[in-house]
Each structure stands twice: as C-alpha cells, then as structure tokens.
Amino acid sequence: MAGRRKFGAVGVACPLLVTSRDGELLILQPWAIETSGLTKAFGDFCAVKDVTLRVRRGAIHALIGPNGAGKTTLFNLLTRFLPPTAGTIVINGQDVTTLAPAEIARRGVARSFQISSVFPHLTAHENVRVALQRDLKTFYQFWRSDRSLAVLDARADALLESVGITAFAQTRAADLPYGRKRALEIATTLALDPSILLLDEPMAGLGMEDIEKISDLVVSVAQGRTVLMVEHNLRVVARLCSTITVLQRGEILVEGAYDDVSRNPAVIEAYMGQGHA
Amino acid sequence: MASASTAVPSRGASHTARRAALVAAAACVALVAPFLLYPIFLINVLCFALFACAFNLMMGFAGLLSFGHAAFFGGSAYVTAYAAKAWGWPAELSILAGLVTGGGLGVVFGWISIRRQGIYFGMVTMALAQLVYFAALQAKFTGGEDGIQGVPQRSALPMLDLTDNRVMYFYALAVFLAGFAVIYRTVHSPFGHVLRAIRENEGRAISLGYDVPRFKLLAFALSGALSGLAGGLKAIALQIATLTDVEFTMSGEVVLMTLVGGVATLTGPVVGAAVVVAMLTYLAAFGVWVKALQGIIFIACVLAFRRGIVGEIAAMLERSRQT
C-alpha cells in the first residue's frame, strides 16, 4: 500500500521526475486511468461529484454502488459520451478531457454498455468485422468493393472462437440468446485490441451458467489489459477484482480490496446492508 | 454478383441465379417500355427513381430522415436549367453542374444538421430547404413563378438527338443507371458497412472509434450530389425547372416514394417512384383527390406494410426459403 501511495502522489505531480531518477519506464504511468476532481452536474443535480479515481495498469478494478450512485455517468465521462462539468481525465498519461468520444476509443479505451450493445441486423461475424475494419483505414472509401473486407474474415472468425460463439457466426445478432450477445459484444470490443476495457454491468441479466462463462472470459481478456467494470454481482466482484471503488451519491465512499471494503461499516450501511450484512 | 455468393455461402447458387434472372427481366422491361408506354412518363419515373434512391441512401442506409431533399433536387434543377439555357452549356456539363450543386448543398445541410438527432435533425433540414425555396422564389435567375422553361436539349455528343423522346429516354436511363451503380457500390463498400453499423447502433459505432459525424456528412454529400444529378437530369429531360421541384411537398413526395417501395432496399425506391409518378400522371383527372389518395396510401404504408412493396416481397421470399 505504501508503494502504491508513493506512485500515486508522484505519478500525478511530476511523472517525469520518477523516470529520470529510477530510469524505469514502467513507473512513468502506473495508472491507466486517473481522474481528478471529476464532476458532472445536470442542472442542480450533481451525478458525479469531485471524483478522484485511479485505476492501476493491468488491474481488474470494480466500481460498485447503489442505483443512482453515478457509476454509468462516470463511465460516460471517462469515454467522453458526456462532457464533464469540471475536473480532468488522464488516460495512459495523456490528458483526454477535451477529446471526442471516437478519439478516446482510438486511444485504446473500449467500452461496453449496460444494455447489451450489438448491431442487431448484422450477423455476429459482421458485428466483429465492422470493428476490425477500423484497421484497414478504407472506411471512407465508398467507391471500393466490400470484397476488400474479406481479408478480415479470418481474424473475425478467430475472435468469435475466442468467446466461444463460432457456431453463431452467420446468425443475426438480434437472434442470439442474451448470454451469447454479451459474448459477441466482448468479441467486438476485443477486435479493437484496447489497452483499457470499461465494462458496464457485464453480468446484468445473465443466468448462473452464463455468469460463470462471462467471468472466465473477463479474466482471460484482462490479460495484458486494464479493466474497469461496474458490477452489482458481488460474488463476481470478489472473484475477479483486485480493487473496489464504492460510489455513493456521485462521490467515492471508500476504496480498497474486497475484504476491506466489505467490512467497512459505511459501505455496509450504504450498499451491502441490503441483504449482505 | 459472384461476390454475394462467396460472402454468403448459405444462399448459394440459386440466389445468384434468381438475381441474374431479375436483372435480365428488369433490362427487358427497360428496353421495351418506351415502345409501349409514353416516353415522357418513363423519363419522369427515371428522374424520380434516381431521386428516391439517392434519398434512400441517407434514410435507409444511414438512418437519417431528411425533410429537405427538395432543395437538392430543385436547386440543382435550376442550376442545370440556367447553365443550359443562359450559358448554352451542353446537357452533360449542365447536369454535372447540377450534381456539384447538390453535393455542395448536401455538405452545407449536413454540416449544420448532423449534430442534431431524430426530429430535430428533420426540422433543421426542413428549415434549410425552406431557405433554398425562398431563395428560388426571390432570385432573379430562377424566373420566379414561371421557373426556367424551354431548357435546350443539346448533347455534347452530336449524334445524340435528345429532342427525340425515345433517345431522351435511353439517355435518362443511362444517367439513372450510372447513379444507381454509385449507390449500389456505396452500399456495398467499406464505407457502406460502417454506415449500416451507425444506423444500427450509433453509440456503439462511436465506441468502436468511428468518427460518426464525418460518416454522416459524407453520406449527406453523396445523397445530395445524386439528388442533384436527378434534378439536373429532370431539368434537361423535361426542359423545365420550377418552384414545384424545390417546394416542401417535393421533400414529402420522395419520402412517400421510398416508403411505398421499401426503405433500405436497393430497388424499393425505384418501384415506389414508379407507383407514385404513375398515380400522379394517370389519376391527374381527379385533381385534388389525388393528394387525398396519396395521403391514404401513405397512412396504409406506415400502418400495414412498413417494409414497402419490395421489402414485403423480399421478406416473403425469405420466409419461403426458411420453411
């Protein structure tokens, strides 16, 4: 913990100093995501208030809190789907506070949505391929045949296989069972090869069996990546996440490892009191 | 055509064969039609079919419902008519001027409107089209209530006598096919695939890193340019550009054509245009009642068969294939 605090303090204030002293590049950006004073107000209502959040590179970090705590709003701020009222967002050491959402995505931040988000009338294969298409840089070329996209087919198939839905490659996304839809969503997200994954309630609406599968999937895709996830299923959080941040009414209530957080009286009262205490 | 069978192996050869048969049938109809039907009527159909296809590129394939497409069609008709009549440009160059006008207007409209969603988007396009209408009404070169009449039909190719109605028909057919080919390619291009993704789920497309406004703007420019091509062709082929072309009702008519034929189908707008133009031509004797009939068809389409004529047929074929 002491080491972490040191990185945190130095990392924010003057990251270059650390590099020059230790000569280690790793220390330059120990945080994949850093926000400071992040605030979003809708009129008088403050959905996110002065949030200073740091997500360690390579971690699976959970964001939990009761309904209306501002978790999804925070996600929307991090991906710039919403502009913040105040505060800054630094991703991989770069200030991205004023960038456009598509630009954030191109910087390696991929997000999923609370409600499964696929392209319903495209097949599973096409869903993944349209994400892969970004690499080809031909996406504005309306005069070029779509036969040129065939070079992506092998990669698309490989991604579908990695999430175990090869059999559904030619099925329209709208016709997929819900668990498969979520798997497809993850495959599409992985097509971007992001360094940071933001998952908004990946287990929502899934049955026990699917939760198992998607949990395994999250663990495997987290290899070499940073994952920040909003999740209500605390068993999943306990199993997957190294750090937990609890939000309440738009503010950070407490942060730490699962055991510390779950014993915290404020947390029990605010959140886990609903049947968990 | 071969690409379709390789990309979708499940549909196989029968699909390709059926498609080839359809194309052949359409070619026969297009070749024989001017000898059976009044060529001017057919030319009218071709102009509006191209216009509706261009509109559908935006509504059907990009999910952008514009209420201002008359501005592209009518604005370009004026420019083409003026270029041919006042400057004595040949038909090809005049039509090209129309295309450029449509594309330019498309960029301006798009740039102003694409950041708005849904009904607000529609309202902005409508307001901009009203501005163009007002300009057409007030400007000197448009001829006010009279419009520009007696547009010369002089091709740069001396062997083409465009004043012959049948020659004009095939000329219009060639322009239509060129425009249709551009639309076909656009829909089946890397750009078209991303456009479809944006229509399906805009938020998701953004989160994949696509610069959605730029895709919409390009779609707008293409749709505007092709609508301009249709307007320019109309000005030459029917020798007239008037306020009717640029009026709000024209924007509504093209929505109707697309809906009747089938949104997001390639050939739907062609069928829809044929139906609507036929109605306006052959039921003209009923006067105002044609408008009422149009309204009823519109309502029936929206309520009962939303996929339109071609869309419903395609869905029926799909069902029969599955069972």
Side-chain angles (χ1 to χ4, degrees):
Chain A
M1 286 309 269
R4 189 179 136 196
R5 246 180 233 122
K6 189 188 104 197
F7 284 149
V10 181
V12 170
C14 41
L16 286 175
L17 195 69
V18 180
T19 331
S20 63
R21 204 181 284 161
D22 297 8
E24 273 186 58
L25 207 68
L26 263 179
I27 305 171
L28 181 65
Q29 300 159 11
W31 310 110
I33 303 172
E34 295 175 72
T35 73
S36 69
L38 200 59
T39 301
K40 179 67 189 179
F42 297 102
D44 289 338
F45 174 66
C46 219
V48 169
K49 202 185 296 173
D50 193 25
V51 165
T52 296
L53 175 77
R54 295 202 189 98
V55 179
R56 178 179 292 281
R57 181 169 308 289
I60 304 184
H61 190 129
L63 201 57
I64 65 172
N67 284 331
K71 304 178 297 279
T72 297
T73 306
L74 184 55
F75 259 38
N76 283 334
L77 292 174
L78 290 176
T79 49
R80 270 308 302 252
F81 273 63
L82 285 173
T85 311
T88 57
I89 304 162
V90 174
I91 284 174
N92 291 332
Q94 285 174 308
D95 190 326
V96 300
T97 317
T98 57
L99 295 183
E103 179 58 30
I104 302 250
R106 289 195 287 269
R107 302 268 174 113
V109 182
R111 72 172 292 181
S112 73
F113 293 81
Q114 198 165 2
I115 299 160
S116 134
S117 183
V118 293
F119 302 115
H121 294 100
L122 307 190
T123 64
H125 181 87
E126 288 171 325
N127 262 272
V128 176
R129 198 172 67 173
V130 84
L132 287 170
Q133 230 185 298
R134 220 183 67 193
D135 291 349
L136 286 185
K137 313 259 183 255
T138 60
F139 38 74
Y140 290 123
Q141 298 183 2
F142 61 87
W143 58 89
R144 186 188 277 266
S145 166
D146 55 5
R147 260 171 282 179
S148 63
L149 301 178
V151 295
L152 301 172
D153 285 345
R155 275 171 71 198
D157 289 335
L159 281 161
L160 291 175
E161 198 186 338
S162 73
V163 299
I165 55 170
T166 303
F168 297 94
Q170 298 303 327
T171 307
R172 281 191 338 161
D175 301 332
L176 289 174
Y178 196 71
R180 309 288 187 181
K181 243 184 236 174
R182 296 242 83 149
L184 172 61
E185 206 186 329
I186 290 176
T188 309
T189 308
L190 288 181
L192 307 173
D193 195 16
S195 65
I196 299 171
L197 275 170
L198 304 179
L199 305 177
D200 198 351
E201 298 195 28
M203 310 301 167
L206 293 182
M208 286 295 276
E209 201 178 311
D210 281 331
I211 286 181
E212 232 9 63
K213 271 190 212 149
I214 302 289
S215 295
D216 292 343
L217 202 54
V218 170
V219 171
S220 79
V221 303
Q223 299 291 325
R225 297 195 169 94
T226 307
V227 176
L228 176 63
M229 60 193 272
V230 169
E231 186 50 59
H232 281 302
N233 187 324
L234 295 178
R235 206 166 297 171
V236 170
V237 169
R239 187 188 142 198
L240 300 182
C241 305
S242 52
T243 313
I244 294 160
T245 300
V246 185
L247 275 186
Q248 190 193 17
R249 294 195 204 98
E251 292 178 281
I252 293 182
L253 188 64
V254 61
E255 188 179 309
Y258 181 80
D259 288 336
D260 301 337
V261 169
S262 62
R263 279 193 218 108
N264 186 305
V267 174
I268 293 170
E269 193 194 334
Y271 182 67
M272 300 178 179
Q274 309 157 1
H276 199 273
Chain B
M1 304 286 145
S3 72
S5 62
T6 50
V8 191
S10 59
R11 292 192 175 175
S14 74
H15 182 72
T16 315
R18 181 152 50 199
R19 198 137 107 176
L22 271 175
V23 171
C28 287
V29 171
L31 287 176
V32 173
F35 300 98
L36 301 175
L37 292 163
Y38 185 43
I40 297 291
F41 161 71
L42 293 171
I43 290 169
N44 231 324
V45 169
L46 284 173
C47 293
F48 283 104
L50 181 56
F51 182 31
C53 286
F55 172 79
N56 189 39
L57 180 63
M58 253 181 70
M59 180 182 177
F61 296 101
L64 295 167
L65 175 52
S66 142
F67 287 118
H69 259 55
F72 310 141
F73 184 78
S76 300
Y78 276 122
V79 169
T80 299
Y82 193 80
K85 194 173 180 183
W87 299 332
W89 287 12
E92 291 77 15
L93 212 55
S94 306
I95 293 176
L96 197 67
L99 181 138
V100 172
T101 306
L105 282 174
V107 170
V108 174
F109 275 43
W111 190 73
I112 296 171
S113 64
I114 48 177
R115 275 155 230 282
R116 298 280 164 272
Q117 305 284 332
I119 190 74
Y120 300 103
F121 170 82
M123 288 298 122
V124 172
T125 55
M126 192 166 113
L128 290 168
Q130 286 304 101
L131 280 178
V132 172
Y133 172 78
F134 187 73
L137 188 67
Q138 295 295 317
K140 281 275 176 294
F141 86 98
T142 56
E145 298 283 344
D146 298 332
I148 305 176
Q149 299 183 11
V151 178
Q153 297 178 310
R154 190 174 58 79
S155 170
L157 307 164
M159 62 279 198
L160 284 181
D161 177 18
L162 295 183
T163 52
D164 181 321
N165 280 344
R166 291 221 176 92
V167 174
M168 190 65 231
Y169 165 79
F170 285 108
Y171 188 82
L173 184 64
V175 174
F176 166 78
L177 287 175
F180 189 78
V182 171
I183 291 168
Y184 181 89
R185 174 38 54 88
T186 303
V187 169
H188 297 98
S189 72
F191 172 71
H193 280 249
V194 178
L195 213 53
R196 218 155 43 120
I198 291 170
R199 180 196 67 190
E200 295 271 302
N201 191 337
E202 188 169 333
R204 185 63 175 157
I206 295 171
S207 74
L208 295 182
Y210 288 117
D211 216 335
V212 166
R214 286 179 74 174
F215 284 90
K216 288 185 177 175
L217 188 60
L218 182 51
F220 228 126
L222 286 169
S223 179
L226 290 162
S227 299
L229 180 67
L233 176 64
K234 189 244 154 196
I236 295 290
L238 304 179
Q239 298 186 276
I240 187 167
T242 66
L243 287 172
T244 320
D245 303 330
V246 78
E247 228 166 14
F248 169 66
T249 45
M250 182 61 76
S251 297
E253 221 128 83
V254 75
V255 178
L256 177 67
M257 289 174 190
T258 309
L259 276 178
V260 168
V263 180
T265 61
L266 273 168
T267 50
V270 181
V271 175
V275 169
V276 172
V277 174
M279 232 169 62
L280 291 177
T281 311
Y282 292 108
L283 302 181
F286 293 98
V288 191
W289 287 102
V290 177
K291 290 280 165 202
L293 191 63
Q294 244 182 328
I296 291 166
I297 290 177
F298 203 109
I299 292 168
C301 262
V302 173
L303 291 182
F305 59 114
R306 272 185 214 186
R307 282 183 281 226
I309 298 169
V310 171
E312 293 290 343
I313 293 173
M316 252 158 57
L317 287 176
E318 188 72 26
R319 274 198 297 274
S320 71
R321 195 180 301 138
Q322 278 170 0
T323 49

